[in-house]
Amino acid sequence: DAGVIQSPRHEVTEMGQEVTLRCKPISGHNSLFWYRQTMMRGLELLIYFNNNVPIDDSGMPEDRFSAKMPNASFSTLKIQPSEPRDSAVYFCASSLSGTAKNIQYFGAGTRLSVL
Amino acid sequence: GENVEQHPSTLSVQEGDSAVIKCTYSDSASNYFPWYKQELGKRPQLIIDIRSNVGEKKDQRIAVTLNKTAKHFSLHITETQPEDSAVYFCAASPSGNTPLVFGKGTRLSVIA
């Protein structure tokens, strides 16, 4: 298994532009998580899905952020319009929830720079 | 909801010494406690975990202890090596259907 796959690995964009981050979870996993990591705030959970349904999006900072999971093998995190303070590393993780061990496996992350 | 506190935020040790990182949690229903290691520029990766029916677990140079009564758990690294330098995150989960709640992380530096 290739693990959780994220694309792109790096994204540089200008303020005001739309940014779309992509994630392919591990096959068979039924939960997917989007995190943002910065030096100041650490790892923040933005939103998570169970069986493709958004369960908790209370971590999404603003209406500029949106996430979708149209099927079990794909999710997107969109920022529109982007701002410099959105610069961070965005991680996607997946797990097989409902089991005794709720192990989350992380993707390699997308490093976003908004100029 | 669950809240996880992690200390210290930074830790420097001499190579060969031991390192201890401590976490507390608030939800007594939490029953799964993993530890993740994140090397510079890399993804967080699971290094060891413990469930609430176990008090201690070891894997070579690393061990985790859990005190359910006090609601705290700790990571112990013995005979530290430079490659142990990384950020370590603790986490807690009340059930298999809820996401992990992470601590803020501890930056460990092992000085050769």
Side-chain angles (χ1 to χ4, degrees):
Chain A
D1 196 325
V4 177
I5 299 173
Q6 290 186 247
S7 65
R9 289 295 312 278
H10 303 275
E11 178 79 33
V12 180
T13 190
E14 293 187 346
M15 181 174 62
Q17 296 298 306
E18 177 180 296
V19 175
T20 300
L21 311 181
R22 297 173 175 80
C23 177
K24 176 179 168 55
I26 292 173
S27 177
H29 281 187
N30 57 1
S31 290
L32 183 140
F33 310 83
W34 282 101
Y35 292 90
R36 178 172 67 177
Q37 186 175 38
T38 61
M39 288 292 291
M40 292 297 294
R41 301 172 72 94
L43 262 175
E44 299 175 275
L45 178 65
L46 300 177
I47 185 171
Y48 79 98
F49 297 82
N50 271 351
N51 297 315
N52 312 339
V53 176
I55 302 301
D56 184 357
D57 66 354
S58 60
M60 297 285 259
E62 299 170 34
D63 291 346
R64 297 185 296 106
F65 286 69
S66 62
K68 293 182 180 179
M69 192 164 186
N71 57 62
S73 59
F74 184 66
S75 176
T76 60
L77 177 67
K78 186 175 293 187
I79 308 172
Q80 166 62 18
S82 58
E83 296 182 3
R85 59 192 167 126
D86 301 331
S87 298
V89 179
Y90 290 82
F91 286 103
C92 174
S94 71
S95 71
L96 183 58
S97 66
T99 59
K101 284 190 175 183
N102 199 1
I103 299 175
Q104 288 187 20
Y105 296 87
F106 284 79
T110 295
R111 183 174 295 277
L112 174 63
S113 297
V114 183
L115 307 177
Chain B
E2 176 64 275
N3 181 51
V4 176
E5 300 282 341
Q6 183 171 349
H7 300 279
S9 57
T10 60
L11 178 61
S12 292
V13 299
Q14 292 288 330
E15 183 178 0
D17 288 350
S18 295
V20 180
I21 303 170
K22 299 181 180 181
C23 290
T24 60
Y25 61 99
S26 61
D27 189 345
S28 57
S30 286
N31 59 12
Y32 176 60
F33 307 92
W35 286 86
Y36 285 78
K37 175 183 180 183
Q38 186 179 24
E39 297 177 355
L40 188 63
K42 301 289 182 64
R43 75 191 77 189
Q45 291 193 295
L46 180 72
I47 55 171
I48 193 168
D49 56 11
I50 191 169
R51 284 186 53 79
S52 58
N53 58 351
V54 176
E56 182 177 2
K57 183 177 179 181
K58 288 183 179 180
D59 183 3
Q60 299 181 12
R61 296 187 296 108
I62 61 174
V64 57
T65 59
L66 171 66
N67 183 325
K68 282 193 65 179
T69 303
K71 289 191 281 190
H72 67 71
F73 55 113
S74 301
L75 178 71
H76 304 252
I77 306 174
T78 59
E79 300 174 24
T80 53
Q81 301 169 3
E83 52 264 39
D84 295 329
S85 296
V87 178
Y88 292 81
F89 293 94
C90 63
S93 175
S95 78
N97 291 317
T98 55
L100 296 173
V101 177
F102 285 89
K104 294 294 186 187
T106 296
R107 184 174 300 278
L108 173 65
S109 299
V110 179
I111 303 165

